[in-house]
């Protein structure tokens, strides 16, 4: 009754009269006060006017559907209850509000009746305007929809409160389902059912509860129209992509059915590094790309690399298949089946660091094995003018390459210890100056690589067996002897001069080796045990070598003695006669 009063425009006045009547007659029965509209009403509020105001306010909110924009006259379907504004100019202008009758006709004063229900708004407006122009010539006429109707749709299946819901033709399927699922928010614990949620005052509150292993199949919502046609909708795709084809407008008397599905048996699970992991109900024709789109979103697919598809096999072991997301996006079709599991593998986020004399030092994302040193320098804004390319170096701090420990070789103790200490070095042997030159060789980077461009200080470092090791000012064209002399000359027991090129690690030997800026000049010396421990190790090593030589000599002598004895024996028997 209230709904019909609202459609005729006199609802507010009649509702006020009804409330006054309730006030004068003592209100409504207590049971009706507590069970109105399928929702719980506060029994302490005994004023019937307040109760009806609450119910009316809620009904108003449910009846109002916000517009998405101007009505599409070619898509809107007219039905009984729609109110049109009909106007015509002239000496006696016509302006009247005309509703579509219950039998589906639009009766226009002085212009006749036209069929309206089930036709598009565009068609009704065109025919109504033509009929008005036959009656009112040479004046402006207009027919427009001013108040959309209200009608009922039926919601069934796996919803908290199935039943009949009031809506408008501006509403989509999702709007009606929101009302059915909103009943869950209004649920109160049933004191007789161990806190099981029930909807107070609703007949559906007594139906069996859905099993905990089942969920509403929102990807297979079925809409049955009054003419018998059907649509199967994927509401999850609508929520993910905004595709309104999966959330169409409702029609009078539509039946919206929400099926249920078993999560393990009928669902497809998506896990891993996606924005919306979980179990989705299987939809016939589903592909791997369809489910990845739902779980990652259309914009999130670009961040995915590989996916592992696991499928249950009846009576056997599950099968596993690795999928390339790039190939799926390019058109590869991989059908899915209920029970499948898509596990999105983590994508390695490689980074490389650059420090020193660059414009913007720091850590930058790279593509491991593809990004070059030249590209990293460009990301950092380029080199500063005083960067020393000769002294620049690149370190590989995270490597999967195996480093041999020498155990299977004939290296002695000290040699293996030296090899072990040398294995800690992690610099990449590369000429960074050449790599940064135009047309130079590419030096590719990997995760956790670190490149440093030190400042050019114009010095050479002299170390080793010299009285005053340290930095010596660089002089173009000078040899190692010049820098050693500046450091006090070679000390006693010296046994060689080495020049190490900074950055590349290349070695030049001898006092006459040319030295470049940033190089290291090292003066070696004879072996000296500087601690008792090292002296003991040296003595043990020498004793071990001496014992090994003695044993080798004894073995040779023993072998020769045995050979001579054998020859003598053979000769006594005349073997050589």
């Amino acid at each position: 009754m209230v709904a019909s009063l609202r459609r005729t425009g006199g609802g507010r006045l009649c509702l006020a009269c009804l409330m006054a009547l309730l006030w004068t007659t003592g209100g409504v029965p207590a049971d009706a006060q507590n069970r109105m509209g399928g929702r719980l009403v506060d029994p302490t509020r005994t004023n019937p006017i307040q109760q009806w105001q609450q119910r009316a306010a809620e009904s108003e909110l449910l009846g109002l559907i916000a517009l998405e924009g101007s009505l599409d006259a070619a898509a809107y379907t007219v039905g009984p209850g729609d109110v049109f504004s009909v106007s015509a100019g002239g000496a006696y202008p016509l302006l009247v509000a005309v509703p579509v009758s219950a039998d589906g006709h639009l009766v226009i004063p002085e212009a006749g009746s036209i069929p309206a229900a089930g036709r598009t708004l565009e068609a009704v407006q065109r025919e109504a305007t033509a009929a008005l122009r036959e009656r009112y010539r040479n004046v402006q006429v207009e027919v427009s929809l001013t108040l959309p109707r209200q009608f009922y749709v039926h919601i069934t299946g796996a919803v908290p409160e199935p039943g009949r819901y009031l809506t408008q033709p501006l509403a989509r399927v999702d709007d009606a389902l929101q009302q059915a699922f909103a009943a869950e928010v209004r649920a109160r614990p049933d004191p007789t059912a161990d806190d099981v949620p029930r909807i107070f005052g609703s007949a559906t509150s007594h139906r069996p509860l859905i099993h905990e292993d089942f969920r509403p199949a929102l990807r297979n919502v079925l809409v049955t129209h009054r003419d018998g046609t059907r649509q199967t909708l994927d509401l999850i795709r609508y929520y993910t992509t905004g595709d309104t084809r999966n959330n169409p407008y409702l029609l009078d008397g539509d039946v919206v059915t929400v099926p249920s599905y078993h999560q393990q048996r009928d669902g497809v699970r998506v896990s891993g590094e996606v924005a919306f992991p979980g179990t989705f109900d299987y939809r016939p024709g589903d592909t791997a790309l369809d489910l990845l789109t739902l779980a990652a979103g259309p914009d999130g697919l670009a961040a995915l690399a590989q996916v592992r598809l696991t499928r249950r096999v009846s009576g056997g072991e599950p099968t596993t298949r690795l999928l390339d997301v790039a190939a799926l996006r390019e058109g590869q079709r991989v059908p899915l089946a209920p029970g499948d599991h898509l596990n999105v593998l983590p994508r390695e986020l490689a980074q490389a660091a650059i420090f020193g004399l660059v414009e913007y030092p720091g850590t930058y994302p790279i593509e491991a094995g593809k990004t070059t040193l030249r590209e990293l320098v460009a990301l950092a804004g380029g080199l500063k003018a005083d960067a020393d390319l000769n002294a620049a170096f690149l370190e590989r701090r995270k490597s999967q390459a195996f480093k041999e420990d020498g155990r299977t070789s004939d290296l002695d103790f000290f040699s293996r210890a030296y090899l072990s200490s040398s294995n800690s070095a992690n610099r990449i042997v590369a000429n960074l100056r050449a790599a940064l030159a135009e047309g130079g060789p590419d030096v590719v980077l990997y995760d956790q690589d670190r490149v440093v461009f030190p400042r050019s200080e114009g010095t050479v470092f002299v170390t080793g067996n010299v009285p005053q090791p340290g930095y010596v000012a660089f002089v173009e064209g000078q040899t190692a002897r010049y820098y050693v002399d500046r450091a006090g000359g070679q000390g006693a027991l010296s046994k060689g001069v080495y020049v190490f090129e900074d950055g590349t690690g290349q070695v030049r030997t001898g006092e006459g080796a040319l030295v470049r800026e940033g190089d290291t000049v090292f003066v070696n010396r004879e072996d000296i045990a500087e601690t008792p421990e090292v002296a003991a190790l040296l003595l043990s090593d020498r004793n071990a070598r001496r014992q090994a030589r003695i044993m080798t000599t004894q073995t040779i002598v023993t072998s020769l003695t045995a050979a001579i004895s054998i020859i003598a024996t053979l000769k006594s028997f005349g073997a050589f006669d």
Side-chain angles (χ1 to χ4, degrees):
M1 175 179 178
V2 175
S4 61
L5 290 173
R6 288 172 57 194
R7 284 198 296 268
T8 59
R12 298 186 184 277
L13 176 61
C14 293
L15 183 60
C17 296
L18 179 60
M19 289 189 292
L21 177 63
L22 290 171
W23 177 260
T24 58
T25 58
V28 297
D31 181 71
Q33 293 179 17
N34 292 332
R35 297 177 176 271
M36 290 185 176
R39 289 182 295 273
L40 184 65
V41 178
D42 187 354
T44 62
R45 298 177 59 182
T46 57
N47 188 331
I49 295 181
Q50 293 179 339
Q51 294 179 1
W52 275 99
Q53 285 175 336
Q54 177 184 346
R55 299 267 51 82
E58 292 180 358
S59 179
E60 286 286 343
L61 289 175
L62 292 176
L64 292 177
I65 302 295
L67 295 177
E68 299 176 6
S70 300
L71 283 180
D72 185 354
Y76 185 93
T77 302
V78 177
D82 281 336
V83 179
F84 284 81
S85 173
V86 178
S87 64
Y92 301 97
L94 173 70
L95 178 60
V96 62
V98 182
V100 177
S101 63
D103 61 357
H105 285 77
L106 182 65
V107 181
I108 304 175
E110 301 186 25
S113 173
I114 64 171
R119 302 175 65 189
T120 65
L121 175 60
E122 184 180 54
V124 172
Q125 287 177 320
R126 183 170 56 249
E127 185 173 348
T129 301
L132 280 172
R133 285 174 178 165
E134 288 292 328
R135 176 66 179 81
Y136 299 93
R137 299 179 181 275
N138 302 321
V139 296
Q140 183 176 356
V141 298
E142 186 176 355
V143 177
S144 60
L145 178 68
T146 56
L147 182 62
R149 68 191 182 280
Q150 291 181 321
F151 56 80
Y152 282 106
V153 294
H154 309 274
I155 300 179
T156 66
V159 295
E161 191 172 10
R164 190 176 67 161
Y165 286 87
L166 189 65
T167 187
Q168 294 180 332
L170 305 174
R172 297 184 181 270
V173 172
D174 171 71
D175 296 315
L177 288 181
Q178 293 289 0
Q179 295 186 52
F181 278 97
E184 193 170 37
V185 179
R186 301 190 300 269
R188 298 291 188 273
D190 186 346
T192 65
D194 297 328
D195 293 338
V196 175
R198 299 288 184 180
I199 310 302
F200 270 64
S202 169
T204 61
S205 64
H206 300 286
R207 70 173 186 149
L209 294 176
I210 189 170
H211 192 278
E212 61 181 5
D213 291 336
F214 288 82
R215 291 291 183 271
L218 295 180
R219 299 193 61 227
N220 291 276
V221 175
L222 177 64
V223 178
T224 304
H225 303 299
R226 296 181 65 181
D227 60 3
T229 58
R230 294 184 171 191
Q231 289 177 276
T232 303
L233 309 176
D234 186 350
L235 277 181
I236 302 298
R237 179 170 289 275
Y238 162 72
Y239 294 144
T240 304
T241 66
D243 185 357
T244 55
R245 290 176 297 180
N246 283 289
N247 189 21
Y249 291 113
L250 290 165
L251 299 176
D252 308 50
D254 277 352
V255 178
V256 180
T257 303
V258 180
S260 62
Y261 76 100
H262 191 280
Q263 293 185 88
Q264 283 72 40
R265 185 177 61 243
D266 307 322
V268 176
R269 186 159 67 97
V270 183
S271 62
E273 292 192 348
V274 289
F276 310 104
T279 301
F280 300 84
D281 50 307
Y282 173 78
R283 183 177 170 91
D286 269 343
T287 65
L289 185 63
D290 292 332
L291 268 296
L292 291 175
T293 301
L294 297 181
D299 298 332
L301 289 174
L304 308 184
Q306 289 184 319
V307 178
R308 182 182 292 113
L309 169 60
T310 303
R311 175 165 297 171
R312 297 195 304 254
V313 178
S314 179
E317 293 293 329
T319 62
T320 300
R321 178 182 176 186
L322 198 62
L323 307 179
D324 182 8
V325 177
L328 297 178
R329 297 178 64 194
E330 291 174 0
Q332 181 185 9
R333 183 178 176 82
V334 178
L336 296 179
D340 282 354
H341 175 203
L342 291 170
N343 181 26
V344 179
L345 302 181
R347 188 168 188 170
E348 183 178 357
L349 300 177
Q351 295 180 324
I354 182 170
F355 298 109
L357 276 296
V358 293
E359 291 295 333
Y360 308 108
T363 302
Y364 293 87
I366 64 169
E367 190 171 358
K370 292 186 178 180
T371 303
T372 65
L373 174 65
R374 191 180 300 108
E375 292 170 337
L376 178 62
V377 171
L379 289 174
L383 298 175
K384 292 185 177 180
D386 51 350
D388 188 354
L389 293 180
N390 292 327
F393 60 90
L394 171 63
E395 294 179 339
R396 181 134 301 152
R397 297 193 163 191
K398 180 181 178 182
S399 176
Q400 305 298 326
F402 174 72
K403 293 182 178 180
E404 179 59 62
D405 59 9
R407 295 183 184 181
T408 58
S409 70
D410 61 351
L411 295 177
D412 57 25
F413 171 78
F414 286 101
S415 298
R416 287 200 301 272
Y418 177 53
L419 174 62
S420 177
S421 64
S422 300
N423 280 342
S424 62
N426 58 0
R427 288 194 180 184
I428 300 298
V429 179
N431 188 334
L432 301 192
R433 176 185 288 276
L436 294 176
E438 185 176 356
D442 287 334
V443 175
V444 296
L445 304 175
Y446 290 88
D447 188 32
Q448 303 301 318
D449 278 1
R450 176 176 179 266
V451 59
V452 178
F453 292 93
R455 185 184 306 277
S456 177
E457 298 178 347
T459 59
V460 172
F461 185 63
V462 182
T463 186
N465 194 27
V466 292
Q468 294 178 314
Y471 292 97
V472 177
F474 172 72
V475 177
E476 185 72 37
Q478 293 295 333
T479 63
R481 181 183 295 108
Y482 171 83
Y483 296 98
V484 171
D485 290 343
R486 295 298 179 274
Q490 298 186 37
L493 303 178
S494 295
K495 64 169 188 178
V497 177
Y498 301 85
V499 178
F500 299 96
E501 184 175 315
D502 202 0
T504 66
Q506 294 181 354
V507 183
R508 297 183 294 275
T509 60
E511 291 184 322
L514 183 65
V515 177
R516 299 186 179 91
E517 181 182 357
D519 285 354
T520 297
V521 178
F522 172 65
V523 179
N524 198 10
R525 71 179 181 183
E526 299 287 346
D527 294 338
I528 297 176
E530 297 180 341
T531 64
E533 291 80 5
V534 175
L537 288 174
L538 286 172
L539 182 60
S540 298
D541 182 63
R542 290 169 183 171
N543 290 334
R545 291 173 181 270
R546 186 180 302 110
Q547 290 294 331
R549 288 195 296 268
I550 293 173
M551 292 180 64
T552 300
T553 303
Q554 290 176 347
T555 300
I556 294 174
V557 171
T558 302
S559 299
L560 289 175
T561 303
I564 292 172
S565 298
I566 293 172
I567 293 173
T569 302
L570 291 175
K571 187 174 181 181
S572 65
F573 286 100
F576 301 101
D577 292 340

